[in-house]
């Protein structure tokens, strides 16, 4: 279940990714020229980069460590190893195979990046990512991710609360929903050359869901800039909903008055509802949702799926009185 700790950075040694694996990963990145400070731990590398002037308050680093604060948004489950988080993905814009994003997403240009704000808000237009996300106020949140395919991960995200970002654009009383759209470039995103979905990818939330304390815009994971295959440079993280709601590589945000169409709901409405809340009692038409495979564990590692992915205390009130089987 979701817990709060006074000092989340004081996790037990066996509750986090093994240090050797983390350092090995940094060494591999250094070999590719992405991070020259690979021999240091996450905190040491971060401090060294700040001291060297490579990153700082408000600046957006192109790669490597991010400057962020710890928070009490965490869970007790072991974190998923970095190679699994970055090597096992659904990002159909780069292919339908789980390893396709890691193989092909490097083609995506993520800097510079802008987001277009549209709809019922006082401030609209096109804004640079640095004007949407304040990189001087980044925080880390460790959330459970539950895929609709009945597998799960635990990921340390770095970013900002979605509510803070949306409030800055001053949505009006007509903004009852928020729609998000993924960047579309058929040259760089090879998967969009095929009609797997009706591109571009779109997702949406009710405004109260978008303003919930758990909703998060991530620009990094494991303390570093978000890899392309994980939705760089900015993605949504909605931990109580199935993973496909957490849209990647966001290029448009719309404040709308009517429930927006979303890609998977439009493609297969019987299988993928608008709400997409994690619900072990509502089976997918082709498989049970009562349990999940734990990615990064042994081949037999499974856990029982919890209602709202374990975040009922924070979100259940938004669905009071709703039939969550019908409104799936």
């Amino acid at each position: 279940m979701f817990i709060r700790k006074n000092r989340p950075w004081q996790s037990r040694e066996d509750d986090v990714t093994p240090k050797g694996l983390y350092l090995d990963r940094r060494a591999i990145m250094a070999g590719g020229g992405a991070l020259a400070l690979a021999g240091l731990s996450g905190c040491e590398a971060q401090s060294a980069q700040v001291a060297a002037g490579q990153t700082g308050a408000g600046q957006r680093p192109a790669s490597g460590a991010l400057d962020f604060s710890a928070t009490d948004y965490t869970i007790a489950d072991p974190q998923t190893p970095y190679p699994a988080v970055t090597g096992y993905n659904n990002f159909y814009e780069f292919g339908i195979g789980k390893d396709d994003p890691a193989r092909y997403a490097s083609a995506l240009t993520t800097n510079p990046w802008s987001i277009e704000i549209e709809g019922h808000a006082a401030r609209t237009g096109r804004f640079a990512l640095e004007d949407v996300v304040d990189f001087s106020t980044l925080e880390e949140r460790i959330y459970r991710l539950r895929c609709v395919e009945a597998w799960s991960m635990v990921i340390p995200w770095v970013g900002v609360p979605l509510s803070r970002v949306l409030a800055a654009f001053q949505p009006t009383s007509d903004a009852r929903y928020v729609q998000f759209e993924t960047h579309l470039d058929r040259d760089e995103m090879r998967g969009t050359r095929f009609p797997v979905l009706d591109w571009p990818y779109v997702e949406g939330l009710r405004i109260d869901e978008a303003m919930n304390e758990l909703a998060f815009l991530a620009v990094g994971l494991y303390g570093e800039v978000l890899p392309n295959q994980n939705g760089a440079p900015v993605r949504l993280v909605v931990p109580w909903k199935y993973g496909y709601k957490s849209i990647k590589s966001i290029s448009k945000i719309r404040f709308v008055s009517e429930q927006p169409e979303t890609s998977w709901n439009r493609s297969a409405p019987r299988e993928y509802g608008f709400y997409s809340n994690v619900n072990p009692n509502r089976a997918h038409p082709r498989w049970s949702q009562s349990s999940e495979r734990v990615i990064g564990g042994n081949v037999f590692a499974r856990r029982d799926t919890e209602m709202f992915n374990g975040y009922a205390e924070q979100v259940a009130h938004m669905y009071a009185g709703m039939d969550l089987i019908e409104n799936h």
Side-chain angles (χ1 to χ4, degrees):
M1 65 181 290
F2 182 81
I3 63 174
R4 289 178 180 259
K5 298 180 180 179
N6 291 330
R7 294 180 175 82
W9 54 91
Q10 293 180 339
S11 301
R12 296 181 306 166
E13 186 67 26
D14 58 354
D15 278 348
V16 299
T17 301
K19 183 177 181 182
L21 178 61
Y22 188 62
L23 293 178
D24 286 347
R25 186 261 302 182
R26 297 180 76 86
I28 291 171
M29 293 181 67
L35 182 59
L37 302 172
L40 303 176
S41 70
C43 292
E44 290 169 336
Q46 180 180 326
S47 299
Q49 282 207 335
V50 171
Q54 293 173 285
T55 183
Q59 296 180 342
R60 176 190 168 200
S63 62
L66 292 167
D67 188 10
F68 63 90
S69 299
T71 70
D72 56 2
Y73 291 90
T74 184
I75 61 174
D77 299 24
Q79 294 175 26
T80 304
Y82 182 93
V85 173
T86 59
Y88 190 89
N89 304 106
N90 285 325
F91 199 169
Y92 282 15
E93 284 83 346
F94 298 101
I96 61 174
K98 291 292 188 288
D99 61 347
D100 284 344
R103 294 172 62 190
Y104 301 120
S106 59
L108 179 64
T109 301
T110 60
N111 197 2
W113 191 270
S114 63
I115 297 178
E116 192 168 351
I117 309 297
E118 301 176 342
H120 300 296
R123 297 179 62 221
T124 59
R126 185 176 295 277
F127 299 84
L129 177 58
E130 295 82 355
D131 294 324
V132 175
V133 174
D134 185 350
F135 280 77
S136 69
T137 62
L138 299 181
E139 57 186 61
E140 182 180 70
R141 296 188 177 190
I142 303 173
Y143 282 158
R144 183 179 295 117
L145 172 71
R146 172 59 154 83
C147 181
V148 73
E149 298 169 343
W151 53 263
S152 64
M153 296 182 178
V154 174
I155 302 174
W157 302 103
V158 176
V160 295
L162 176 62
S163 61
R164 185 191 306 163
V165 170
L166 299 184
F169 296 105
Q170 304 171 37
T172 72
S173 59
D174 291 324
R176 293 189 286 272
Y177 294 86
V178 186
Q179 185 183 50
F180 304 86
E181 186 173 303
T182 292
H183 178 69
L184 176 61
D185 186 319
R186 297 187 191 277
D187 291 330
E188 296 185 345
M189 307 170 92
R190 56 186 288 135
T192 61
R193 302 168 200 167
F194 306 95
V196 178
L197 290 169
D198 184 11
W199 311 111
Y201 191 88
V202 292
E203 259 303 340
L205 300 171
R206 272 187 349 207
I207 192 69
D208 60 330
E209 296 178 312
M211 293 297 188
N212 184 273
E213 64 171 307
L214 297 183
F216 200 60
L217 276 183
V219 295
L221 57 78
Y222 264 94
E224 295 182 346
V225 170
L226 199 65
N228 282 16
Q229 61 265 35
N230 293 96
V234 60
R235 63 167 290 165
L236 185 62
V237 180
V238 194
W240 71 95
K241 294 179 180 287
Y242 291 119
Y244 64 88
K245 294 293 286 189
S246 294
I247 186 170
K248 303 176 178 75
S249 302
I250 297 169
S251 63
K252 290 185 180 179
I253 298 176
R254 300 185 183 94
F255 296 97
V256 297
S257 59
E258 302 295 328
Q259 180 175 302
E261 287 192 333
T262 59
S263 289
W264 279 109
N265 181 239
R266 186 166 54 201
S267 175
R270 180 169 169 265
E271 299 186 9
Y272 308 105
F274 173 79
Y275 285 98
S276 307
N277 291 319
V278 175
N279 187 348
N281 303 310
R282 207 280 182 186
H284 187 281
R286 290 179 281 135
W287 56 79
S288 170
Q289 295 287 21
S290 63
S291 67
E292 63 211 50
R293 180 167 56 98
V294 179
I295 302 299
N298 66 61
V299 69
F300 301 109
R302 297 192 70 85
R303 68 184 301 275
D304 291 337
T305 294
E306 299 177 59
M307 189 67 199
F308 297 116
N309 206 23
Y311 298 98
E313 181 181 348
Q314 290 74 34
V315 304
H317 66 277
M318 295 189 291
Y319 311 102
M322 288 180 60
D323 182 340
L324 297 182
I325 301 298
E326 180 67 23
N327 296 287
H328 62 94

